[in-house]
Amino acid sequence: MRVLIVNGPNLNLLGERQPEIYGAQSFEEFLQELREKFRGIQIAYYQSNVEGELINALHAARLNQDAVILNAGGYTHTSVALGDAVAAISIPVVEVHISNILAREEFRHKSFISQHAAGIISGFGLIGYELALNYLERRPNGRQ
Ligand code: CA2
């Protein structure tokens, strides 16, 4: 199975700032651990701070990936276009957030992704990506 992890704006700064919210580990370091834990999954990774590039990555994923794990960062709460891109691809997209977006400011409670996602994982730190891979690995025949 091939899974693409897509991280949106500012998530390239993980491990550098705000460790009380987002943890102290860089995503690259965490990614190595994920690849060791999930040897049966080919895990590709893409990060961009640019909305259109994230949309292009989702479009490309529909041709060469089996699933996507998406943390759209702040665009989660603002981007109709990213929500449309998730709706437009038929492979499952798991929405992940490091922090619990429902326990934070009200503007973070709205997600343009959720209604098109296979499911949502929020508030478990980087472990959320691991939970998403766990789900995708066990998901029978592309269904819940
Ligand atoms: O909790 C999440 O994963 C978020 O998607 C992260 C976004 C935020 O806008 C969402 O509401 C929830 C922000 C990502 C910022 O990442 C940083 C990482 C390290 C240092 C500073 C920012």
Side-chain angles (χ1 to χ4, degrees):
M1 183 170 47
R2 300 153 301 172
V3 174
L4 173 67
I5 298 176
V6 177
N7 274 345
N10 300 308
L11 288 159
N12 53 311
L13 298 180
L14 277 179
E16 285 182 35
R17 308 189 54 196
Q18 295 184 263
E20 67 288 357
I21 306 178
Y22 300 115
Q25 200 174 20
S26 76
F27 200 83
E28 283 69 18
E29 193 185 301
F30 175 68
L31 190 59
Q32 275 192 333
E33 292 176 15
L34 276 185
R35 287 184 171 135
E36 276 159 29
K37 274 190 193 153
F38 293 87
R39 290 194 178 274
I41 303 182
Q42 271 174 259
I43 305 173
Y45 176 57
Y46 182 73
Q47 190 279 329
S48 175
N49 296 318
V50 181
E51 188 176 12
E53 288 180 359
L54 295 167
I55 292 168
N56 287 341
L58 291 171
H59 289 180
R62 82 188 197 282
L63 304 174
N64 56 24
Q65 301 290 337
D66 298 307
V68 171
I69 296 171
L70 173 64
N71 183 347
Y75 288 141
T76 304
H77 320 297
T78 62
S79 178
V80 172
L82 255 179
D84 286 346
V86 173
I89 62 174
S90 56
I91 56 173
V93 176
V94 180
E95 177 180 355
V96 167
H97 298 284
I98 297 166
S99 62
N100 178 353
I101 56 175
L102 294 177
R104 300 183 65 189
E105 303 95 321
E106 199 157 342
F107 66 84
R108 295 187 204 274
H109 298 184
K110 165 77 187 164
S111 166
F112 284 96
I113 311 296
S114 301
Q115 73 193 95
H116 309 296
I120 310 148
I121 298 167
S122 182
F124 301 117
L126 290 178
I127 294 169
Y129 294 87
E130 205 171 313
L131 298 173
L133 285 167
N134 230 302
Y135 161 71
L136 290 169
E137 194 171 51
R138 296 172 58 192
R139 187 175 191 261
N141 267 341
R143 293 263 153 240
Q144 285 183 344

